[in-house]
mmCIF file of all heavy atoms in Angstrom:
data_model
loop_
_atom_site.group_PDB
_atom_site.id
_atom_site.type_symbol
_atom_site.label_atom_id
_atom_site.label_comp_id
_atom_site.label_asym_id
_atom_site.label_seq_id
_atom_site.Cartn_x
_atom_site.Cartn_y
_atom_site.Cartn_z
ATOM 1 N N LYS A 13 -10.102 0.235 -7.236
ATOM 2 C CA LYS A 13 -11.169 -0.546 -6.709
ATOM 3 C C LYS A 13 -11.419 -1.790 -7.487
ATOM 4 O O LYS A 13 -11.399 -1.702 -8.732
ATOM 5 C CB LYS A 13 -12.404 0.317 -6.689
ATOM 6 C CG LYS A 13 -13.614 -0.338 -5.962
ATOM 7 C CD LYS A 13 -14.752 0.610 -5.894
ATOM 8 C CE LYS A 13 -15.874 -0.102 -5.089
ATOM 9 N NZ LYS A 13 -16.524 0.841 -4.243
ATOM 10 N N GLY A 14 -11.568 -2.927 -6.871
ATOM 11 C CA GLY A 14 -11.641 -4.180 -7.550
ATOM 12 C C GLY A 14 -10.318 -4.888 -7.832
ATOM 13 O O GLY A 14 -10.350 -5.936 -8.462
ATOM 14 N N HIS A 15 -9.252 -4.171 -7.628
ATOM 15 C CA HIS A 15 -7.952 -4.713 -7.863
ATOM 16 C C HIS A 15 -7.086 -4.841 -6.616
ATOM 17 O O HIS A 15 -5.803 -4.542 -6.685
ATOM 18 C CB HIS A 15 -7.211 -3.907 -8.919
ATOM 19 C CG HIS A 15 -7.972 -3.813 -10.223
ATOM 20 N ND1 HIS A 15 -8.057 -4.796 -11.154
ATOM 21 C CD2 HIS A 15 -8.658 -2.726 -10.723
ATOM 22 C CE1 HIS A 15 -8.825 -4.379 -12.142
ATOM 23 N NE2 HIS A 15 -9.288 -3.196 -11.815
ATOM 24 N N GLU A 16 -7.752 -5.228 -5.535
ATOM 25 C CA GLU A 16 -6.969 -5.223 -4.209
ATOM 26 C C GLU A 16 -5.797 -6.065 -4.190
ATOM 27 O O GLU A 16 -4.736 -5.777 -3.674
ATOM 28 C CB GLU A 16 -7.956 -5.590 -3.143
ATOM 29 C CG GLU A 16 -8.952 -4.455 -2.780
ATOM 30 C CD GLU A 16 -10.109 -4.439 -3.689
ATOM 31 O OE1 GLU A 16 -10.289 -5.419 -4.509
ATOM 32 O OE2 GLU A 16 -10.887 -3.464 -3.632
ATOM 33 N N SER A 17 -5.832 -7.232 -4.858
ATOM 34 C CA SER A 17 -4.742 -8.209 -4.809
ATOM 35 C C SER A 17 -3.494 -7.623 -5.562
ATOM 36 O O SER A 17 -2.418 -7.680 -5.187
ATOM 37 C CB SER A 17 -5.153 -9.567 -5.424
ATOM 38 O OG SER A 17 -5.383 -9.491 -6.806
ATOM 39 N N GLN A 18 -3.776 -6.947 -6.701
ATOM 40 C CA GLN A 18 -2.738 -6.311 -7.536
ATOM 41 C C GLN A 18 -2.171 -5.128 -6.717
ATOM 42 O O GLN A 18 -0.931 -4.923 -6.703
ATOM 43 C CB GLN A 18 -3.302 -5.811 -8.817
ATOM 44 C CG GLN A 18 -3.695 -6.906 -9.824
ATOM 45 C CD GLN A 18 -2.607 -7.705 -10.352
ATOM 46 O OE1 GLN A 18 -2.102 -8.564 -9.633
ATOM 47 N NE2 GLN A 18 -2.029 -7.291 -11.440
ATOM 48 N N THR A 19 -2.993 -4.324 -5.967
ATOM 49 C CA THR A 19 -2.569 -3.288 -5.187
ATOM 50 C C THR A 19 -1.615 -3.846 -4.052
ATOM 51 O O THR A 19 -0.519 -3.236 -3.843
ATOM 52 C CB THR A 19 -3.736 -2.448 -4.556
ATOM 53 O OG1 THR A 19 -4.522 -2.076 -5.628
ATOM 54 C CG2 THR A 19 -3.274 -1.317 -3.754
ATOM 55 N N ASP A 20 -1.964 -4.889 -3.400
ATOM 56 C CA ASP A 20 -1.212 -5.508 -2.413
ATOM 57 C C ASP A 20 0.079 -5.941 -2.941
ATOM 58 O O ASP A 20 1.226 -5.733 -2.219
ATOM 59 C CB ASP A 20 -1.918 -6.617 -1.752
ATOM 60 C CG ASP A 20 -1.294 -7.094 -0.467
ATOM 61 O OD1 ASP A 20 -0.850 -6.289 0.397
ATOM 62 O OD2 ASP A 20 -1.128 -8.381 -0.339
ATOM 63 N N LYS A 21 0.152 -6.491 -4.065
ATOM 64 C CA LYS A 21 1.354 -6.982 -4.629
ATOM 65 C C LYS A 21 2.298 -5.822 -4.955
ATOM 66 O O LYS A 21 3.597 -5.837 -4.744
ATOM 67 C CB LYS A 21 1.189 -7.848 -5.978
ATOM 68 C CG LYS A 21 0.604 -9.120 -5.752
ATOM 69 C CD LYS A 21 0.316 -9.794 -7.115
ATOM 70 C CE LYS A 21 -0.440 -11.144 -6.886
ATOM 71 N NZ LYS A 21 -0.835 -11.745 -8.236
ATOM 72 N N GLY A 22 1.824 -4.643 -5.398
ATOM 73 C CA GLY A 22 2.539 -3.466 -5.727
ATOM 74 C C GLY A 22 3.180 -2.900 -4.485
ATOM 75 O O GLY A 22 4.257 -2.494 -4.404
ATOM 76 N N VAL A 23 2.354 -2.933 -3.479
ATOM 77 C CA VAL A 23 2.766 -2.292 -2.093
ATOM 78 C C VAL A 23 3.903 -3.153 -1.549
ATOM 79 O O VAL A 23 4.882 -2.607 -1.148
ATOM 80 C CB VAL A 23 1.601 -2.058 -1.191
ATOM 81 C CG1 VAL A 23 2.104 -1.864 0.222
ATOM 82 C CG2 VAL A 23 0.619 -1.073 -1.602
ATOM 83 N N GLU A 24 3.754 -4.446 -1.685
ATOM 84 C CA GLU A 24 4.734 -5.373 -1.172
ATOM 85 C C GLU A 24 5.991 -5.287 -1.886
ATOM 86 O O GLU A 24 7.137 -5.242 -1.371
ATOM 87 C CB GLU A 24 4.173 -6.701 -1.155
ATOM 88 C CG GLU A 24 5.035 -7.777 -0.497
ATOM 89 C CD GLU A 24 5.091 -7.506 0.985
ATOM 90 O OE1 GLU A 24 4.105 -7.079 1.594
ATOM 91 O OE2 GLU A 24 6.184 -7.797 1.653
ATOM 92 N N LYS A 25 5.902 -5.204 -3.203
ATOM 93 C CA LYS A 25 7.034 -5.076 -4.059
ATOM 94 C C LYS A 25 7.841 -3.784 -3.851
ATOM 95 O O LYS A 25 9.029 -3.781 -3.734
ATOM 96 C CB LYS A 25 6.610 -5.305 -5.526
ATOM 97 C CG LYS A 25 7.873 -5.430 -6.495
ATOM 98 C CD LYS A 25 7.319 -5.678 -7.866
ATOM 99 C CE LYS A 25 8.483 -5.883 -8.844
ATOM 100 N NZ LYS A 25 8.081 -6.188 -10.134
ATOM 101 N N ALA A 26 7.118 -2.712 -3.756
ATOM 102 C CA ALA A 26 7.770 -1.464 -3.526
ATOM 103 C C ALA A 26 8.458 -1.463 -2.169
ATOM 104 O O ALA A 26 9.598 -0.915 -2.011
ATOM 105 C CB ALA A 26 6.748 -0.300 -3.575
ATOM 106 N N GLY A 27 7.818 -1.974 -1.098
ATOM 107 C CA GLY A 27 8.509 -2.060 0.177
ATOM 108 C C GLY A 27 9.673 -2.919 0.119
ATOM 109 O O GLY A 27 10.701 -2.575 0.873
ATOM 110 N N ASP A 28 9.618 -4.070 -0.479
ATOM 111 C CA ASP A 28 10.835 -4.864 -0.589
ATOM 112 C C ASP A 28 11.950 -4.160 -1.395
ATOM 113 O O ASP A 28 13.143 -4.233 -0.928
ATOM 114 C CB ASP A 28 10.553 -6.199 -1.331
ATOM 115 C CG ASP A 28 9.588 -7.086 -0.545
ATOM 116 O OD1 ASP A 28 9.406 -6.902 0.709
ATOM 117 O OD2 ASP A 28 9.005 -8.035 -1.114
ATOM 118 N N MET A 29 11.659 -3.367 -2.361
ATOM 119 C CA MET A 29 12.616 -2.695 -3.119
ATOM 120 C C MET A 29 13.386 -1.636 -2.139
ATOM 121 O O MET A 29 14.556 -1.475 -2.172
ATOM 122 C CB MET A 29 12.059 -1.922 -4.282
ATOM 123 C CG MET A 29 13.126 -1.216 -5.145
ATOM 124 S SD MET A 29 12.429 -0.378 -6.586
ATOM 125 C CE MET A 29 11.719 1.009 -5.684
ATOM 126 N N VAL A 30 12.523 -0.914 -1.406
ATOM 127 C CA VAL A 30 13.098 0.102 -0.469
ATOM 128 C C VAL A 30 13.982 -0.659 0.561
ATOM 129 O O VAL A 30 15.114 -0.159 0.950
ATOM 130 C CB VAL A 30 11.965 0.925 0.182
ATOM 131 C CG1 VAL A 30 12.569 1.834 1.301
ATOM 132 C CG2 VAL A 30 11.242 1.731 -0.873
ATOM 133 N N ASP A 31 13.505 -1.746 1.118
ATOM 134 C CA ASP A 31 14.326 -2.469 2.006
ATOM 135 C C ASP A 31 15.673 -2.968 1.467
ATOM 136 O O ASP A 31 16.672 -2.862 2.136
ATOM 137 C CB ASP A 31 13.504 -3.674 2.534
ATOM 138 C CG ASP A 31 12.627 -3.288 3.583
ATOM 139 O OD1 ASP A 31 12.746 -2.305 4.263
ATOM 140 O OD2 ASP A 31 11.555 -4.057 3.835
ATOM 141 N N ASP A 32 15.644 -3.349 0.214
ATOM 142 C CA ASP A 32 16.844 -3.800 -0.401
ATOM 143 C C ASP A 32 17.755 -2.609 -0.608
ATOM 144 O O ASP A 32 18.977 -2.753 -0.440
ATOM 145 C CB ASP A 32 16.508 -4.465 -1.772
ATOM 146 C CG ASP A 32 15.950 -5.812 -1.700
ATOM 147 O OD1 ASP A 32 16.069 -6.451 -0.680
ATOM 148 O OD2 ASP A 32 15.373 -6.289 -2.768
ATOM 149 N N LYS A 33 17.239 -1.512 -1.165
ATOM 150 C CA LYS A 33 18.151 -0.263 -1.413
ATOM 151 C C LYS A 33 18.721 0.281 -0.115
ATOM 152 O O LYS A 33 19.793 0.751 -0.031
ATOM 153 C CB LYS A 33 17.285 0.725 -2.144
ATOM 154 C CG LYS A 33 16.912 0.448 -3.497
ATOM 155 C CD LYS A 33 18.088 0.412 -4.441
ATOM 156 C CE LYS A 33 17.601 0.176 -5.849
ATOM 157 N NZ LYS A 33 18.645 0.142 -6.803
ATOM 158 N N THR A 34 17.949 0.149 0.982
ATOM 159 C CA THR A 34 18.458 0.720 2.279
ATOM 160 C C THR A 34 19.086 -0.383 3.203
ATOM 161 O O THR A 34 19.399 -0.068 4.301
ATOM 162 C CB THR A 34 17.334 1.430 3.075
ATOM 163 O OG1 THR A 34 16.290 0.453 3.398
ATOM 164 C CG2 THR A 34 16.794 2.510 2.272
ATOM 165 N N GLN A 35 19.231 -1.536 2.614
ATOM 166 C CA GLN A 35 19.676 -2.733 3.378
ATOM 167 C C GLN A 35 19.118 -3.020 4.594
ATOM 168 O O GLN A 35 19.625 -3.380 5.610
ATOM 169 C CB GLN A 35 21.269 -2.470 3.579
ATOM 170 C CG GLN A 35 21.998 -2.347 2.301
ATOM 171 C CD GLN A 35 23.468 -2.021 2.492
ATOM 172 O OE1 GLN A 35 23.906 -1.643 3.624
ATOM 173 N NE2 GLN A 35 24.221 -2.024 1.443
ATOM 174 N N GLY A 36 17.861 -2.800 4.597
ATOM 175 C CA GLY A 36 16.874 -3.022 5.857
ATOM 176 C C GLY A 36 16.940 -2.079 6.962
ATOM 177 O O GLY A 36 16.354 -2.311 7.975
ATOM 178 N N LYS A 37 17.740 -1.003 6.725
ATOM 179 C CA LYS A 37 17.912 0.038 7.791
ATOM 180 C C LYS A 37 16.616 0.626 8.376
ATOM 181 O O LYS A 37 16.476 1.042 9.481
ATOM 182 C CB LYS A 37 18.800 1.120 7.276
ATOM 183 C CG LYS A 37 19.357 2.175 8.228
ATOM 184 C CD LYS A 37 20.326 3.073 7.677
ATOM 185 C CE LYS A 37 20.732 4.097 8.749
ATOM 186 N NZ LYS A 37 21.680 5.083 8.265
ATOM 187 N N TYR A 38 15.691 0.778 7.397
ATOM 188 C CA TYR A 38 14.305 1.437 7.747
ATOM 189 C C TYR A 38 13.228 0.463 7.644
ATOM 190 O O TYR A 38 12.066 0.853 7.336
ATOM 191 C CB TYR A 38 14.086 2.653 6.802
ATOM 192 C CG TYR A 38 15.269 3.693 6.809
ATOM 193 C CD1 TYR A 38 16.215 3.738 5.849
ATOM 194 C CD2 TYR A 38 15.350 4.469 7.946
ATOM 195 C CE1 TYR A 38 17.177 4.591 5.908
ATOM 196 C CE2 TYR A 38 16.434 5.419 8.027
ATOM 197 C CZ TYR A 38 17.296 5.456 7.070
ATOM 198 O OH TYR A 38 18.355 6.397 7.067
ATOM 199 N N LYS A 39 13.441 -0.756 7.940
ATOM 200 C CA LYS A 39 12.422 -1.871 7.787
ATOM 201 C C LYS A 39 11.196 -1.481 8.558
ATOM 202 O O LYS A 39 10.100 -1.744 8.080
ATOM 203 C CB LYS A 39 13.012 -3.196 8.214
ATOM 204 C CG LYS A 39 12.057 -4.250 8.036
ATOM 205 C CD LYS A 39 12.745 -5.631 8.260
ATOM 206 C CE LYS A 39 11.848 -6.782 7.971
ATOM 207 N NZ LYS A 39 10.915 -6.774 6.830
ATOM 208 N N GLY A 40 11.280 -1.027 9.805
ATOM 209 C CA GLY A 40 10.140 -0.681 10.587
ATOM 210 C C GLY A 40 9.291 0.426 10.000
ATOM 211 O O GLY A 40 8.007 0.280 9.965
ATOM 212 N N GLN A 41 9.904 1.457 9.423
ATOM 213 C CA GLN A 41 9.249 2.454 8.865
ATOM 214 C C GLN A 41 8.578 2.033 7.596
ATOM 215 O O GLN A 41 7.472 2.415 7.216
ATOM 216 C CB GLN A 41 10.160 3.733 8.613
ATOM 217 C CG GLN A 41 10.610 4.406 9.883
ATOM 218 C CD GLN A 41 11.875 3.877 10.469
ATOM 219 O OE1 GLN A 41 12.242 2.739 10.248
ATOM 220 N NE2 GLN A 41 12.543 4.649 11.266
ATOM 221 N N VAL A 42 9.227 1.246 6.846
ATOM 222 C CA VAL A 42 8.812 0.701 5.572
ATOM 223 C C VAL A 42 7.461 -0.152 5.817
ATOM 224 O O VAL A 42 6.501 -0.047 5.153
ATOM 225 C CB VAL A 42 9.836 -0.101 4.797
ATOM 226 C CG1 VAL A 42 9.194 -0.891 3.497
ATOM 227 C CG2 VAL A 42 10.952 0.801 4.219
ATOM 228 N N ASP A 43 7.621 -0.969 6.820
ATOM 229 C CA ASP A 43 6.473 -1.758 7.205
ATOM 230 C C ASP A 43 5.261 -0.974 7.604
ATOM 231 O O ASP A 43 4.143 -1.247 7.249
ATOM 232 C CB ASP A 43 6.761 -2.814 8.299
ATOM 233 C CG ASP A 43 7.817 -3.844 7.786
ATOM 234 O OD1 ASP A 43 8.018 -4.090 6.646
ATOM 235 O OD2 ASP A 43 8.324 -4.509 8.760
ATOM 236 N N THR A 44 5.486 0.079 8.317
ATOM 237 C CA THR A 44 4.361 0.996 8.788
ATOM 238 C C THR A 44 3.742 1.629 7.613
ATOM 239 O O THR A 44 2.555 1.740 7.398
ATOM 240 C CB THR A 44 4.940 2.021 9.736
ATOM 241 O OG1 THR A 44 5.509 1.325 10.886
ATOM 242 C CG2 THR A 44 3.874 3.031 10.155
ATOM 243 N N GLY A 45 4.637 2.106 6.671
ATOM 244 C CA GLY A 45 4.167 2.683 5.449
ATOM 245 C C GLY A 45 3.318 1.761 4.567
ATOM 246 O O GLY A 45 2.251 2.121 4.032
ATOM 247 N N GLN A 46 3.784 0.411 4.476
ATOM 248 C CA GLN A 46 3.062 -0.553 3.732
ATOM 249 C C GLN A 46 1.616 -0.765 4.321
ATOM 250 O O GLN A 46 0.584 -0.816 3.630
ATOM 251 C CB GLN A 46 3.824 -1.912 3.703
ATOM 252 C CG GLN A 46 4.976 -1.823 2.683
ATOM 253 C CD GLN A 46 5.769 -3.104 2.868
ATOM 254 O OE1 GLN A 46 6.133 -3.539 3.878
ATOM 255 N NE2 GLN A 46 6.084 -3.694 1.665
ATOM 256 N N GLU A 47 1.499 -0.822 5.670
ATOM 257 C CA GLU A 47 0.321 -1.017 6.284
ATOM 258 C C GLU A 47 -0.730 0.133 6.039
ATOM 259 O O GLU A 47 -1.839 -0.081 5.798
ATOM 260 C CB GLU A 47 0.498 -1.195 7.855
ATOM 261 C CG GLU A 47 1.193 -2.610 8.207
ATOM 262 C CD GLU A 47 0.230 -3.773 7.605
ATOM 263 O OE1 GLU A 47 -1.077 -3.734 7.765
ATOM 264 O OE2 GLU A 47 0.799 -4.651 7.012
ATOM 265 N N LYS A 48 -0.175 1.393 6.157
ATOM 266 C CA LYS A 48 -0.934 2.538 5.934
ATOM 267 C C LYS A 48 -1.487 2.559 4.534
ATOM 268 O O LYS A 48 -2.574 2.939 4.233
ATOM 269 C CB LYS A 48 -0.116 3.793 6.252
ATOM 270 C CG LYS A 48 -0.029 4.066 7.712
ATOM 271 C CD LYS A 48 0.733 5.296 7.937
ATOM 272 C CE LYS A 48 0.994 5.405 9.395
ATOM 273 N NZ LYS A 48 -0.128 6.001 10.198
#
Side-chain angles (χ1 to χ4, degrees):
K13 188 172 183 140
H15 302 284
E16 287 82 9
S17 65
Q18 293 292 82
T19 302
D20 188 46
K21 287 179 188 177
V23 167
E24 189 66 32
K25 189 172 182 177
D28 290 345
M29 184 184 73
V30 171
D31 280 337
D32 287 345
K33 293 287 185 180
T34 61
Q35 299 173 350
K37 185 175 181 180
Y38 302 104
K39 185 166 179 42
Q41 290 89 337
V42 171
D43 290 344
T44 301
Q46 286 175 310
E47 287 303 314
K48 288 183 184 273

